[in-house]
Structures are given as C-alpha cells and as structure tokens.
Amino acid sequence: MRALLVVIFLSFAAFICHGQVALSGGLVTQQNKVPGGISGGIIDQTSTGFEVGLGYWFRLKNKRLEFTPDVSYTSLTGESGLGDVSGVNINTNILIYALDFHSDCDACPTFSKEGGLVKKGFHWIINPALYFYDTGVDGADPITNFRFSAGAGLDIGVSNLLTLVPFATYGFGLSESFYGNEENKPRQLKIGIRSIFRFDKNKW
C-alpha cells in the first residue's frame, strides 16, 4: 500500500510541476455495516478521520466545466477498532459552474472574473473515485473498489495566484465484502477545503 501511494504521489508531483496545483484536506465521516458482536446481526458503525490530497487543476476552453483530479490519503477510526480503514483514493473531481457556465474569461482565475461571489464561484461536484483501503482486520485482503460522490463547493478568489474552495460531498461505495457483510456499501460524508494555485499566468 505504501509503495503504491509513493508511486502515485511522485507521478502526480511530476505532472503538476507544469502549473496548476490543487491541495486539499478535510474531515471524513463514514458508515459501514459491521457484525454486531455478542448482540448478533449487522449494525451501522461510524468511523471518523481525515483526508489529504494533491492534484492538478484544468478546465475546458470555452465552458466552465473544470477538473481537479487528485490522489489522496484517508485515515478513519471507528469504535473498538471496527470501522478502522486507511488507504489511497484516486479522485476525478468534476466541477460544474452552472451559474457561470459561459464564462466571461476562458482561462482567468476566479479572482479576475466578473460577477458576484456566488455567480462566479458556486459549483456542483461529481466525483467518481477508485480507492484502495486496508480494513485493519487481521488476515483480511485490502479493498479495491469504486465510490460515487456528489456535492457542492464555492470558489473564493484570494488573488490570481490563490483560490480557496470550501466544499462538501456525500457518496457511497458500490459494493464490498468485509466485516463479514457481503452487502456493505459504505456511505461517506466529506467536508473540506481545496487550495488552487495558478502559476500559469501565460494562459490568462
């Protein structure tokens, strides 16, 4: 797992050196269905933790459909060890600026765009993601699965160089077999902030 994380991180680091860097961090709450122990049955187990990521920003030329794909690391802790997971996510992060889809300036940072904060900064988020998690259960194989998340964010242009983006997403895993439950589809809420650095002044 650590080797995979290092390889992916270095690949992204080499890619983002060309200009538009996206750093993100947030708090994560996840619910899994786990065995109920002496009580029997299946119960909901809540795990909480954090996620940090490194990515790259780009957009379509004539429409405000933007992308911040990233690689992130998540660590979650549950009660009594149940629900403990950690691992790597590969996020697509598709951003749809519905209120400013036909932008006044194709490549301008948010700070230089015309319009109010909400008009030029609000966006919907769609994030199909692939993740690789270690469940923390002795003898259990690592999980490789897909998650689909959706949410919203708001660009706050601090300067042409820096944009801060508070965001929130809610998603679910497609299907997993761990904790003795073949139908576990973990649900995840993430509240975070993304920092986008624009070093590509030659493009705007």
Side-chain angles (χ1 to χ4, degrees), residues 3-19:
L4 174 63
L5 177 59
V6 170
V7 170
I8 295 175
F9 181 87
L10 291 177
S11 298
F12 259 79
F15 183 55
I16 65 176
C17 284
H18 292 87

Side-chain angles (χ1 to χ4, degrees), residues 30 38 48 54 66 93 141 163:
Q30 180 166 297
I38 60 175
T48 58
L54 171 65
E66 304 186 4
N93 294 321
D141 293 329
T163 301

Side-chain angles (χ1 to χ4, degrees), residues 26-199:
L27 301 176
V28 179
T29 299
Q30 180 166 297
Q31 286 190 319
N32 293 293
K33 293 186 179 297
V34 302
I38 60 175
S39 63
I42 299 296
I43 62 173
D44 284 331
Q45 169 68 58
T46 299
S47 305
T48 58
F50 66 91
E51 182 174 317
V52 293
L54 171 65
Y56 184 81
W57 173 92
F58 65 97
R59 57 162 290 172
L60 296 185
K61 183 176 181 180
N62 298 314
K63 308 294 180 184
R64 284 201 74 189
L65 184 64
E66 304 186 4
F67 307 86
T68 57
D70 69 37
V71 174
S72 63
Y73 174 79
T74 300
S75 178
L76 302 174
T77 302
E79 299 174 5
S80 303
L82 284 175
D84 287 3
V85 293
S86 62
V88 179
N89 313 273
I90 300 177
N91 299 298
T92 55
N93 294 321
I94 303 166
L95 316 179
I96 305 169
Y97 292 78
L99 302 179
D100 191 35
F101 197 64
H102 303 282
S103 177
D104 58 284
C105 178
D106 286 344
C108 290
T110 300
F111 184 79
S112 293
K113 293 184 181 297
E114 297 180 357
L117 176 65
V118 175
K119 180 180 183 296
K120 66 182 182 179
F122 177 81
H123 55 273
W124 299 110
I125 302 170
I126 300 175
N127 179 30
L130 176 66
Y131 61 97
F132 310 88
Y133 278 8
D134 180 357
T135 66
V137 177
D138 291 340
D141 293 329
I143 298 167
T144 300
N145 205 348
F146 290 95
R147 178 189 302 113
F148 180 85
S149 300
L154 181 68
D155 287 5
I156 302 174
V158 178
S159 67
N160 283 331
L161 172 65
L162 173 63
T163 301
L164 298 179
V165 189
F167 66 91
T169 60
Y170 183 81
F172 55 90
L174 296 188
S175 181
E176 298 185 339
S177 174
F178 67 102
Y179 300 124
N181 178 18
E182 298 288 340
E183 299 300 324
N184 184 41
K185 296 183 179 180
R187 293 150 288 166
Q188 187 181 95
L189 172 66
K190 179 166 59 177
I191 299 175
I193 188 165
R194 181 177 294 109
S195 301
I196 300 175
F197 298 89
R198 296 283 305 276
F199 300 113

